[in-house]
Amino acid sequence: PEVRISWAALYHAASGTQLRLDWTQEQVPYLGVWIDGGAYLTAPTAALEPGSAFYDGLDIAWKLDQYRTLAPHGSAEWDVIVSVSSDVAGLP
């Protein structure tokens, strides 16, 4: 939780393509990675999930004081930029 990130990418080595997400780390400081090796879907699947709470459960995020709250009837919004390309030279 100490490291805040502002982007993540999935790279497909066989095709040389990537899916990249960029966002503002002050608004969305965490990233979850969901991976299914075929247990629920017929093909291996991965998903990048920028989020406002640390860990996979609110109970743990609560204990670690790593979550975001909203006032009743409040809202939050942020932008996520999605890029798909076959040029991986831009990856740090």
Side-chain angles (χ1 to χ4, degrees), residues 18-40:
Q18 73 173 347
L19 169 71
R20 180 177 169 137
L21 305 179
D22 290 89
W23 61 90
T24 304
Q25 67 184 0
E26 291 78 21
Q27 295 171 317
V28 186
Y30 304 106
L31 173 70
V33 179
W34 181 78
I35 299 173
D36 177 16
Y40 298 102

Side-chain angles (χ1 to χ4, degrees), residues 10-86:
L10 294 173
Y11 174 66
H12 189 263
S15 66
T17 58
Q18 73 173 347
L19 169 71
R20 180 177 169 137
L21 305 179
D22 290 89
W23 61 90
T24 304
Q25 67 184 0
E26 291 78 21
Q27 295 171 317
V28 186
Y30 304 106
L31 173 70
V33 179
W34 181 78
I35 299 173
D36 177 16
Y40 298 102
L41 301 171
T42 57
T45 305
L48 302 174
E49 301 176 350
S52 59
F54 174 74
Y55 209 71
D56 202 19
L58 181 57
D59 59 332
I60 296 170
W62 183 272
K63 288 178 187 174
L64 297 173
D65 195 30
Q66 300 289 333
Y67 59 92
R68 182 176 179 186
T69 60
L70 295 173
H73 306 288
S75 65
E77 61 182 71
W78 56 85
D79 295 320
V80 175
I81 299 168
V82 179
S83 305
V84 178
S85 73
S86 59

